[in-house]
Amino acid sequence: MTEKDFYKKAAIYWANVPATIDGVLGGFGNFSDIDIDGSRAFLNKVLSSANPPATKLALDCGAGIGRVTKHLLIHYFEKIDLVEPDLKFITEAKINIGDDVTKLGTLYQTGLQNFRPHKNYDVIWCQWVLGHLNDSDLIKFLSRSKEALSKNGLIIIKENITTSKEVEYDEDDSSMTRPLELMTKIFDQVNLRIIHSDIQYGFPEDIYPIHCFALSPVQ
Ligand code: SAH
């Protein structure tokens, strides 16, 4: 498949998904609370460690309907910017966030493969989206993100990971799930170091394990 088709197919998939929690979680809407609980514990650990990031500005990447922003990031950061290619999701995110809308910064309607950060971020949160980038675009996106971090800033990644040691391609949503070995190889290539990691508990046993990484630029 060409690169163009890989991105186009994903865009078509998401265009046909309803702007709901169950939609963005591929039918696992019931697990949103448990996911957010795990993320909160992880973020608490990150923010209470030595030399934590500031809490002025976060970026929610592949934000969907703003689920992570609304239930997690808004409670920690003064402002949150969103990157999300699908317009109906962005529209729903603004509605969803409701009274806290003043905490929303810039909403960028674009794919991460095209996104160039123009601000410095304390935390760049990427959840269930990096499988939509091919390896080359993922490496470039992480490099740009690294350059856009403020002092002590971190990239936080929460993604499915294969246990087969192989990349697995999903025909439905045109995404790939990577093995841990490839993820860590890519982090090394970009000079990002894992300073905290965790595995999300409480999801069904028969789906991909969900790993959380906090990455800091190698000094
Ligand atoms: N992170 C959110 C949404 C996950 S669903 C959450 O956890 O609730 C995956 C999201 O990634 C969808 O909103 C989809 O539109 C978006 N997406 C798909 N391809 C993308 C790309 N190339 N760049 C950025 N976002 C993308």
Side-chain angles (χ1 to χ4, degrees):
M1 192 190 332
T2 66
E3 185 177 306
K4 209 171 140 208
D5 288 346
F6 172 68
Y7 289 109
K8 203 166 138 199
K9 214 173 154 198
I12 293 169
Y13 171 84
W14 289 109
N16 287 296
V17 167
T20 60
I21 297 263
D22 214 36
V24 292
L25 294 189
F28 285 93
N30 289 342
F31 288 89
S32 183
D33 288 349
I34 207 159
D35 162 63
I36 295 289
D37 287 348
S39 298
R40 192 182 300 114
F42 190 75
L43 193 53
N44 284 339
K45 187 166 79 178
V46 163
L47 293 176
S48 59
S49 61
N51 306 316
T55 51
K56 284 197 160 35
L57 183 62
L59 180 68
D60 184 354
C61 297
I65 58 168
R67 187 187 67 90
V68 176
T69 289
K70 179 183 167 78
H71 297 287
L72 182 75
L73 301 175
I74 249 174
H75 303 290
Y76 291 86
F77 296 91
E78 287 171 29
K79 282 253 182 223
I80 302 104
D81 287 353
L82 271 53
V83 189
E84 167 55 49
D86 189 277
L87 182 59
K88 80 175 172 319
F89 285 168
I90 295 185
T91 307
E92 182 58 27
K94 280 190 268 189
I95 296 168
N96 220 349
I97 285 157
D99 289 347
D100 285 323
V101 77
T102 53
K103 291 197 122 196
L104 285 185
T106 312
L107 311 182
Y108 299 96
Q109 193 201 337
T110 187
L112 294 177
Q113 66 279 17
N114 301 316
F115 177 68
R116 305 274 178 285
H118 294 297
K119 304 183 195 173
N120 289 320
Y121 293 99
D122 301 312
V123 164
I124 298 183
W125 190 281
C126 308
Q127 179 162 0
W128 284 321
V129 65
L130 299 182
H132 282 301
L133 299 186
N134 63 32
D135 286 358
S136 154
D137 284 335
L138 176 56
I139 289 167
K140 289 183 212 154
F141 164 72
L142 289 175
S143 306
R144 294 193 297 271
S145 298
K146 189 180 86 166
E147 297 308 316
L149 290 173
S150 58
K151 186 169 183 281
N152 295 338
L154 298 173
I155 300 172
I156 299 188
I157 292 179
K158 189 165 184 180
E159 290 291 342
N160 295 347
I161 295 291
T162 62
T163 48
S164 64
K165 294 191 186 285
E166 303 286 334
V167 175
E168 292 177 20
Y169 178 68
D170 183 333
E171 285 282 347
D172 286 339
D173 68 358
S174 187
S175 73
M176 54 175 115
T177 304
R178 297 179 168 92
L180 191 58
E181 293 74 11
L182 179 56
M183 291 299 268
T184 53
K185 188 177 150 201
I186 289 174
F187 301 159
D188 282 347
Q189 235 173 303
V190 187
N191 278 321
L192 285 166
R193 179 171 63 101
I194 301 174
I195 59 162
H196 297 286
S197 66
D198 210 347
I199 298 180
Q200 172 69 47
Y201 65 91
F203 271 64
E205 290 289 315
D206 57 347
I207 61 168
Y208 290 126
I210 304 153
H211 289 237
C212 220
F213 310 95
L215 305 173
S216 164
V218 174
Q219 296 303 328

